[in-house]
Amino acid sequence: MTVLMLFVLFTLLLVLGVPVAFSMGLSAAVILILDGGVPLLVLPQRFFSSLDSFPLMAIPLFILAGNLMNVSGITNAIVRCASSLVGHVRGGLGQVNILTSVMFSGISGSAAADVAAVGSMLLPAMKKEGYKPEHAVVITASSAILGPIIPPSLLMVLYGAMTGLSIGTLFLAGILPGLTIAAFLMLWVWWNADRIGGLRHPRAGAAEIGRSFLRALPALVLPVLIIGGIQSGIFTATEAGILAVVYALVFGAVTGQLDLRNSIRLTRDAAISTSAILIILGGAALFAWIIAREGFPAQLAQALQGLTENRHLALMLIIAALLVLGMFVETISALILVTPMLAPIAAVYGLDPIHFAVVVVISVLLGSITPPVAIILILACRIGEVPYAATLRPFMPYFAIIVAGLLVIAFVPSVTLFLPRELGGYGQ
């Protein structure tokens, strides 16, 4: 009954327009007040203890590093490199858009940063080249969700901090799933090129490919340094964030695109973004504590087992529930909300926790491009100056393609676990 009241209050506050973080925190506070058996001092204790985590310090650092790299001229270099590699393939700039998102993911870790950087450069060019504007926007938004899958990923840092899983292993686990979804999207653009208006570019020569690769090399090296350093034990995820910031500052200074004013503004932006995430995390900690105190995760696992003993069917039910949740709740909020409830279920069904983490992250991420909330799709529409309603119909095939990729990842665990086992020694 307590958990039911908690969810009813949470839903009511959301309907009234209260931000998710405050909806979780306030509903938890009301339940504790009504309970009467728990000192209210628990509220600030639980709130701040959830934030007292060394891995969480990596979040502002990776956000700042991505911001710094984005203004240092690296996006243009990545676009040129991607264009030289796949611009001649059916679909032209659509293929370039997707590959650019893959490469940009290694420095941003954020879907919003990806769609802002890649969209602002490629959407005008795609429309000028003959792409139907709504299709150009949908491709940009769909490929932007690769940002939080391919490392370094803010969502993987959050999941690892909440569950105690190795962030380095989660980073490795996200690489092949991200590339799998990218491959599915590129195949669809290739198949659909004539209908959406994509044109091929002339094939680039070896010299041009080499020059563009060298210009983009600083961005491509960064994720290798981060993952290699974490997995080799040279530094932690938080220390990797410091390395990323220093690397970005040096690169910006060398290119001449970064000055003191830019650095201060970007640091402020990173602090504001981090504060929003931490407020959500604190409110979710109160919410999750009441849920755990009432034994709801165990009850949920028991209810799932009552429905089915089949782990694959259980995973399908979880994915379906997360897709629905993501349609109405912002990505970070949804992940923080469901992780304490769902992580124990992986153990009950014998699912690998790293594999399960990647499936959960991708499932929740899909909500950021799924109507009605669709934050990333709306952002792409604003950048591309396309009415939101015009994208809903062309969006559906891309959604189906990403879901197909997600199902491959969910039911072929080796896609996720191959690199952690081969490069990280996971499970050995």
Side-chain angles (χ1 to χ4, degrees):
M1 181 62 72
T2 300
V3 173
L4 178 60
M5 289 178 59
L6 181 68
F7 278 105
V8 169
L9 279 172
F10 172 64
T11 305
L12 179 61
L13 290 169
L14 280 181
V15 171
L16 293 174
V18 179
V20 173
F22 297 112
S23 296
M24 290 189 286
L26 286 173
S27 57
V30 169
I31 292 297
L32 286 179
I33 291 170
L34 293 176
D35 182 276
V38 179
L40 293 184
L41 185 61
V42 168
L43 288 173
Q45 286 178 339
R46 289 285 171 181
F47 188 97
F48 287 105
S49 64
S50 68
L51 308 182
D52 186 19
S53 169
F54 185 68
L56 287 179
M57 292 175 63
I59 292 176
L61 296 169
F62 283 127
I63 292 175
L64 177 58
N67 289 348
L68 292 169
M69 290 291 281
N70 191 28
V71 302
S72 298
I74 196 64
T75 307
N76 187 46
I78 290 175
V79 170
R80 288 183 179 179
C81 182
S83 182
S84 70
L85 291 171
V86 298
H88 62 280
V89 178
R90 264 174 62 95
L93 284 181
Q95 306 288 6
V96 173
N97 192 318
I98 297 166
L99 184 57
T100 299
S101 291
V102 170
M103 298 166 76
F104 191 79
S105 299
I107 62 172
S108 72
S110 163
D114 198 318
V115 77
V118 178
S120 60
M121 290 201 67
L122 284 177
L123 281 175
M126 291 174 76
K127 289 193 290 184
K128 185 177 180 181
E129 195 171 274
Y131 257 93
K132 294 180 180 178
E134 61 273 19
H135 284 277
V137 163
V138 169
I139 291 171
T140 303
S142 300
S143 62
I145 69 166
L146 299 172
I149 302 172
I150 298 172
S153 163
L154 299 182
L155 295 185
M156 297 298 187
V157 172
L158 274 174
Y159 196 100
M162 287 188 289
T163 59
L165 294 175
S166 165
I167 293 173
T169 303
L170 287 171
F171 280 0
L172 277 176
I175 296 174
L176 288 183
L179 295 178
T180 299
I181 291 175
F184 274 54
L185 288 171
M186 293 179 82
L187 283 171
W188 176 250
V189 169
W190 179 87
W191 177 264
N192 212 30
D194 292 337
R195 193 168 70 86
I196 61 181
L199 300 175
R200 298 188 192 191
H201 288 206
R203 184 185 292 271
E208 184 180 344
I209 293 173
R211 284 194 299 270
S212 63
F213 177 79
L214 287 175
R215 292 192 189 100
L217 191 59
L220 305 179
V221 165
L222 183 57
V224 176
L225 289 175
I226 291 171
I227 298 172
I230 294 174
Q231 288 302 119
S232 62
I234 296 175
F235 42 71
T236 64
T238 302
E239 292 163 346
I242 297 172
L243 171 67
V245 170
V246 172
Y247 186 94
L249 285 170
V250 172
F251 180 79
V254 170
T255 59
Q257 299 293 320
L258 200 61
D259 55 28
L260 182 60
R261 180 178 296 179
N262 275 345
S263 300
I264 293 174
R265 177 178 59 82
L266 295 171
T267 302
R268 182 195 63 203
D269 292 345
I272 292 171
S273 298
T274 304
S275 299
I277 293 172
L278 293 182
I279 290 172
I280 295 170
L281 190 59
L286 301 176
F287 196 89
W289 178 68
I290 293 177
I291 287 174
R293 179 170 169 259
E294 297 297 320
F296 184 70
Q299 295 170 17
L300 182 61
Q302 192 173 17
L304 258 180
Q305 284 186 302
L307 287 174
T308 178
E309 293 286 338
N310 187 302
R311 70 169 72 180
H312 300 302
L313 182 55
L315 194 56
M316 278 290 293
L317 292 173
I318 291 169
I319 290 171
L322 291 176
L323 292 177
V324 173
L325 176 68
M327 292 170 64
F328 303 99
V329 182
E330 185 268 333
T331 304
I332 291 176
S333 305
L335 183 68
I336 293 172
L337 176 65
V338 302
T339 297
M341 292 185 283
L342 294 183
I345 293 176
V348 170
Y349 279 96
L351 297 168
D352 184 274
I354 295 293
H355 174 234
F356 186 74
V358 172
V359 172
V360 169
V361 166
I362 298 174
S363 300
V364 171
L365 258 175
L366 266 170
S368 65
I369 58 171
T370 308
V373 177
I375 294 171
I376 299 302
L377 184 56
I378 291 171
L379 179 56
C381 287
R382 288 176 181 171
I383 294 170
E385 299 179 344
V386 173
Y388 176 53
T391 65
L392 299 183
R393 185 173 180 180
F395 165 75
M396 295 313 298
Y398 291 88
F399 175 77
I401 288 294
I402 297 173
V403 170
L406 171 59
L407 293 178
V408 170
I409 293 161
F411 297 111
V412 186
S414 57
V415 174
T416 301
L417 299 177
F418 177 77
L419 289 181
R421 286 170 177 166
E422 294 299 317
L423 301 180
Y426 177 69
Q428 297 177 6

